[in-house]
């Protein structure tokens, strides 16, 4: 058996948002009037090759802010609540 000498590649190195404006993903407020900016971030997420890994990470770590895996904090709270109910 040969060990692979390369370090493991973290999913974030393939993120489609690497060169995007961080303010799209981490707005100063979640005011509904900023929904178009959230939509811009979600569009980037929809084309991201690591969307599933990103969302899994955000759910697992309880990420409280920002757009992750195409979801808002409120949407992730709902997903976590549903996960909790499914396992309770
Ligand atoms: S899913 Fe969205 S937030 Fe996550 S890495 Fe991809 S582009 Fe960035």
């Amino acid at each position: 058996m040969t060990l692979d000498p390369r370090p493991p590649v973290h999913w974030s190195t393939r993120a489609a948002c690497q060169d995007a404006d961080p303010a799209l993903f981490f707005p100063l407020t979640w005011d509904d009037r900023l929904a178009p900016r959230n939509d811009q971030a979600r569009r980037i997420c929809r084309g991201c090759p690591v969307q599933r890994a990103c969302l899994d990470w955000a759910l697992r770590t309880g990420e409280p802010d920002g757009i992750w895996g195409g979801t808002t904090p409120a949407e992730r709270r709902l997903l976590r609540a549903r996960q909790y109910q499914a396992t309770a």
Side-chain angles (χ1 to χ4, degrees):
M1 181 172 94
T2 309
L3 293 177
D4 188 340
R6 294 171 298 182
V9 177
H10 191 266
W11 58 264
S12 62
T13 62
R14 297 173 54 221
C17 57
Q18 288 181 69
D19 298 322
D21 179 357
L24 295 176
F25 291 83
F26 293 93
L28 294 177
T29 172
W30 289 99
D31 188 316
D32 283 346
R33 288 171 290 188
L34 293 179
R37 289 177 70 83
N38 295 345
D39 289 345
Q40 272 183 277
R42 288 178 200 263
R43 267 197 297 280
I44 295 171
C45 292
R46 275 199 292 275
C48 180
V50 292
Q51 183 178 12
R52 185 72 232 181
C54 177
L55 178 57
D56 285 347
W57 183 88
L59 291 172
R60 224 178 26 254
T61 60
E63 178 58 51
D65 196 16
I67 299 280
W68 293 87
T71 62
T72 63
E75 291 167 339
R76 288 194 303 278
R77 282 194 295 277
L78 189 60
L79 287 171
R80 280 196 298 274
R82 286 185 184 151
Q83 284 177 337
Y84 177 77
Q85 286 171 346
T87 59

